[in-house]
């Protein structure tokens, strides 16, 4: 009787599938070694801090000529004003990077190698999302703190604000939370569209185009649609208090943004399982 011994090539144990820890390490290596990612994150810092200094400085310089209603809104929530000054354009870098993290792998064909190593596919998506969100969260919180200190130094002669004030610390940390969720939101759209240009267009449409259009809708319908849009709801977490016209509290708004993101990630997961790479 001849004994047949499995060769290493035929033995599944000889080629073990990478565990989730190794997937996380792989995604971390991709993020920190791709030059475009590094430069995009640097651009976030420069744009956020630069526009914070510029817009807050201009507001202080024109304080006496500013419309009283605008001055009142700054006085009511100086933290939200400071953080919002930098987020207005800085968030676009996260929108672009979130899409590129996954859509660029589809455009170059690199995604096939990842999915070949992990046939179940979904761990690849979760690893990308977790690593990217962690990177953006850490950087976003750091940028929020620096932005707050820059803005409070500019505006200190007009409005006193400190981290010890009610809701301020939560709002500053919330700035990083918002950017991290925005990154996941963009990554989900990138995974669904699978094309860099189309994904970036879709995310920017959500963030910059839909909100102004919603304000054109009449009555309370327009107000509610506007309030529940992902970026409009999510940005509330970077305010120290709920504004008179805000339909949601900061945490409620962030919860709405999280639901939007969770639904899109679920759609991305289903499509990842069903579609060919």
């Amino acid at each position: 009787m001849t004994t047949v011994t499995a060769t290493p090539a035929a033995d599944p144990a000889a080629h073990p599938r990478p565990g989730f820890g190794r997937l996380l390490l792989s995604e971390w290596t991709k993020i920190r070694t791709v030059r475009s990612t590094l430069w995009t994150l640097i651009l976030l810092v420069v744009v956020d801090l630069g526009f914070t200094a510029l817009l807050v400085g201009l507001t202080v310089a024109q304080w006496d000529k500013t419309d009283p209603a605008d001055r009142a809104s700054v006085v009511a929530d100086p933290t939200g004003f400071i953080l919002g000054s930098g987020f207005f354009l800085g968030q676009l870098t996260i929108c672009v990077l979130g899409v590129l993290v996954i859509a660029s792998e589809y455009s170059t064909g690199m995604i096939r190698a990842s999915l070949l190593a992990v046939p179940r596919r979904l761990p690849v998506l979760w690893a990308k999302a977790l690593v990217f969100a962690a990177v953006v969260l850490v950087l976003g919180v750091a940028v929020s703190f620096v932005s707050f200190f820059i803005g409070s130094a500019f505006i200190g002669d007009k409005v006193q604000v400190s981290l010890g004030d009610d809701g301020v610390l939560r709002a500053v940390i919330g700035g990083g939370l918002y950017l991290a969720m925005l990154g996941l939101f963009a990554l989900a759209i990138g995974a669904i569209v699978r094309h860099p240009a189309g994904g970036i267009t879709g995310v920017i449409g959500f963030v910059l185009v839909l909100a102004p259009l919603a304000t054109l809708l009449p009555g309370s319908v327009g107000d509610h649609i506007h309030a529940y849009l992902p970026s409009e709801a999510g940005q509330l977490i970077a305010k120290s208090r709920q504004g008179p016209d805000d339909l949601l509290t900061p945490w409620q708004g962030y919860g709405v943004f999280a639901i939007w993101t969770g639904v899109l990630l679920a759609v991305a997961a289903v499509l990842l399982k069903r579609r060919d790479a």
Side-chain angles (χ1 to χ4, degrees):
M1 178 180 296
T2 303
T3 302
V4 178
T5 304
T7 63
D11 186 2
H15 300 278
R17 300 302 182 186
F20 193 68
R22 290 182 62 186
L23 286 176
L24 293 175
L25 181 60
S26 174
E27 294 303 324
W28 165 242
T29 301
K30 290 178 185 178
I31 284 182
R32 67 183 178 84
T33 56
V34 176
R35 287 187 178 182
S36 60
T37 300
L38 177 61
W39 283 111
T40 303
L41 294 175
I42 292 174
L43 184 62
L44 165 66
V45 176
V46 173
V47 170
D48 194 294
L49 300 185
F51 271 87
T52 296
L54 176 63
L55 296 181
V56 176
L58 288 175
T59 299
V60 172
Q62 301 292 324
W63 187 260
D64 294 334
K65 300 178 182 179
T66 303
D67 184 88
D70 293 335
R71 288 203 304 266
S73 66
V74 173
V75 173
D77 187 6
T79 304
F81 168 69
I82 292 170
L83 297 178
S85 298
F87 282 160
F88 178 70
L89 289 178
Q91 64 183 343
L92 296 183
T93 62
I94 297 300
C95 292
V96 172
L97 185 56
V99 172
L100 292 180
V101 162
I102 189 165
S104 62
E105 291 198 28
Y106 278 101
S107 63
T108 61
M110 289 180 59
I111 193 68
R112 297 189 186 94
S114 299
L115 299 182
L116 182 63
V118 187
R120 289 187 299 161
R121 296 191 172 195
L122 292 187
V124 174
L125 177 63
W126 306 142
K128 284 182 180 295
L130 184 57
V131 171
F132 181 61
V135 169
V136 176
L137 176 62
V138 172
L139 183 62
V141 170
V143 169
S144 291
F145 271 97
V146 177
S147 180
F148 172 78
F149 289 128
I150 291 174
S152 60
F154 273 100
I155 208 171
D157 293 338
K158 305 299 180 182
V159 184
Q160 292 295 320
V161 59
S162 70
L163 287 175
D165 294 343
D166 185 35
V168 171
L169 181 60
R170 187 263 306 147
V172 175
I173 296 175
L177 291 173
Y178 168 71
L179 290 178
M181 190 65 70
L182 181 63
L184 288 176
F185 182 85
L187 185 146
I189 291 181
I192 293 171
V193 177
R194 305 202 302 182
H195 189 277
I200 292 170
T201 301
V203 175
I204 292 178
F206 265 107
V207 174
L208 293 184
V209 178
L210 288 183
L213 291 179
T215 60
L216 300 178
L217 298 175
S220 61
V221 173
D223 293 337
H224 281 78
I225 292 176
H226 181 268
Y228 283 86
L229 289 175
S231 60
E232 293 301 311
Q235 287 180 7
L236 296 178
I237 195 65
K239 292 185 176 182
S240 61
R241 58 180 64 90
Q242 184 176 1
D245 297 327
D246 295 334
L247 300 181
L248 303 170
T249 67
W251 283 114
Q252 286 174 341
Y254 194 70
V256 168
F257 195 17
I259 291 173
W260 273 93
T261 304
V263 170
L264 288 177
L265 283 172
V267 172
V270 171
L271 293 178
L272 181 63
K273 293 284 288 185
R274 293 184 176 181
R275 295 191 298 193
D276 293 333

